[in-house]
Amino acid sequence: MLKVNAKKFLAIDYDEVMISTSGLYAAPGNDQNTRQKLFETLQAFFKQEQADSFFALSLMATMSEVVVAPLGVIDIEAVKQFDTNANLDFDHLQDTDQLQWPLAVKYIPHTKDENPEQTLVSSPLELKSDFAATFEQVWAVVAKYLAKNQATMTATLAKLIADSDQIETDFMQGLQELSDDQRQEKVGFDLPKTEIGQFSNYMSDSHEVMNIVRSAADFVKSELVRAQPFAQVFNDARYRTTYYWVLDNTFYQTLYYYIQKYTPKHEKLAKFLKHREEQLLHQMRQSALNYSQKMAEEPKANVSPDVAALFDRIFLPINEKIIAAILDFGIK
């Protein structure tokens, strides 16, 4: 376990200290890629820095954030209570007193019904001296929290799927009770009775995707944009990182909504949609870049950004592409 001088480290103002930070996105269903990126990022850091450096590595996931950092960076009071540290007289520290400085992995959920939790794993010194073996300890905890994140996303999407099933049933029953003319007036085009089921299915899915998209847009509006110009968010590195995290999350929740809903109807659908994932993600990010730049450069839109409309322009075409891919696959 890494030990540091107690007097020196407790005298530091942790609100002002410079912390080396890095971040990466943990895409759902791709733990092997996340593991490799985490390995390379931590390894590069410890090749360049001292073992007692202040650092924080964030893994952004769909429903949470996982932070790898020395415990003192996360909670200095927890360091005082850790193991033999609790035996020190913190009111009368000696020059030779040493603090154990453990490494922590903290899970920070972004849902109301979960609480943060953390696990202590080895120390930064052990990462420095025996990286490969110590990394396995770190990864085991990170993987546990990513599985927890995946379970949360699955449960969240299950609620949307149940809601979509009810909406589909209600909508289909309502349309079947109408005459051909009444149905045309309601939906805006000629809808044969034989296509009511498929149309109701499409409308219920689109309704749930809109819930995902609008929720993300509301977050960006209330937490990032607030009263400032959109360009301030888009051009500031800190804000932009969070903005793109929200974009990726929205994409993955949309994609996995369809994977989770329709895979039970066809065992090969998940593989088919996963095969299209990279292409669809690239298209989403390119659209997001183009539309976001336009909003930031257009004076009126920049000062008073319609984030909901922006997210609609980015994600509704992606939704249509996913639905078209499912139709081509012969599910509906």
Side-chain angles (χ1 to χ4, degrees), residues 214-227:
R214 288 297 170 84
S215 176
D218 288 345
F219 174 85
V220 170
K221 180 67 175 179
S222 63
E223 301 298 326
L224 298 182
V225 176
R226 289 172 289 185

Side-chain angles (χ1 to χ4, degrees), residues 20 26 61 68 112 119 130 134 138 140 144 154 175 192 205 265 308 310:
S20 298
V68 181
K112 295 179 181 178
T119 303
D130 189 1
T134 309
V138 175
K144 177 185 72 172
T154 298
L175 289 178
D205 284 341
K265 299 180 180 180
L310 172 64

Side-chain angles (χ1 to χ4, degrees), residues 64-78:
S64 66
E65 178 181 4
V66 180
V67 179
V68 181
L71 180 59
V73 174
I74 296 174
D75 184 355
I76 190 62
E77 292 302 316

Side-chain angles (χ1 to χ4, degrees), residues 113-148:
D113 54 352
E114 286 188 283
N115 296 317
E117 58 182 271
Q118 67 185 22
T119 303
L120 302 183
V121 284
S122 65
S123 74
L125 179 62
E126 289 167 302
L127 269 175
K128 186 78 172 177
S129 60
D130 189 1
F131 182 84
T134 309
F135 175 79
E136 295 303 327
Q137 300 175 40
V138 175
W139 172 247
V141 179
V142 170
K144 177 185 72 172
Y145 287 143
L146 291 180
K148 189 178 181 71

Side-chain angles (χ1 to χ4, degrees), residues 91-249:
D91 293 326
H92 305 91
L93 285 172
Q94 304 299 310
D95 291 339
T96 56
D97 284 338
Q98 299 283 299
L99 277 176
Q100 293 194 64
W101 196 248
L103 189 67
V105 180
K106 185 168 186 176
Y107 173 74
I108 307 171
H110 294 157
T111 55
K112 295 179 181 178
D113 54 352
E114 286 188 283
N115 296 317
E117 58 182 271
Q118 67 185 22
T119 303
L120 302 183
V121 284
S122 65
S123 74
L125 179 62
E126 289 167 302
L127 269 175
K128 186 78 172 177
S129 60
D130 189 1
F131 182 84
T134 309
F135 175 79
E136 295 303 327
Q137 300 175 40
V138 175
W139 172 247
V141 179
V142 170
K144 177 185 72 172
Y145 287 143
L146 291 180
K148 189 178 181 71
N149 173 86
Q150 185 72 19
T152 300
M153 185 177 75
T154 298
T156 299
L157 294 179
K159 293 178 182 178
L160 295 181
I161 291 168
D163 186 58
S164 75
D165 289 340
Q166 185 59 55
I167 290 174
E168 179 181 349
T169 298
D170 294 343
F171 198 74
M172 185 164 55
Q173 288 176 347
L175 289 178
Q176 288 174 336
E177 293 171 358
L178 300 178
S179 67
D180 291 348
D181 291 341
Q182 289 173 325
R183 192 163 55 250
Q184 182 174 8
E185 182 178 356
K186 182 176 179 63
V187 302
F189 57 88
D190 181 33
L191 179 65
K193 279 193 173 183
T194 55
E195 297 180 8
I196 288 177
Q198 181 173 310
F199 180 71
S200 300
N201 181 256
Y202 165 82
M203 291 297 293
S204 67
D205 284 341
S206 296
H207 172 80
E208 301 307 329
V209 169
M210 283 299 298
N211 284 338
I212 294 171
V213 172
R214 288 297 170 84
S215 176
D218 288 345
F219 174 85
V220 170
K221 180 67 175 179
S222 63
E223 301 298 326
L224 298 182
V225 176
R226 289 172 289 185
Q228 61 187 341
F230 183 76
Q232 184 68 31
V233 173
F234 189 64
N235 295 321
D236 181 279
R238 180 166 53 97
Y239 285 126
R240 188 171 62 247
T241 297
T242 304
Y243 177 59
Y244 273 97
W245 168 72
V246 175
L247 290 171
D248 278 8
N249 277 1

Side-chain angles (χ1 to χ4, degrees), residues 251 255 269-283 321-322 324-326 328:
F251 169 80
L255 179 66
L269 178 61
K271 183 177 180 180
F272 175 73
L273 289 177
K274 289 289 289 181
H275 181 71
R276 299 290 301 275
E277 177 183 317
E278 187 173 347
Q279 177 188 9
L280 291 167
L281 181 61
H282 174 75
Q283 291 174 359
K321 287 180 180 293
I322 295 173
I326 294 173
D328 288 344

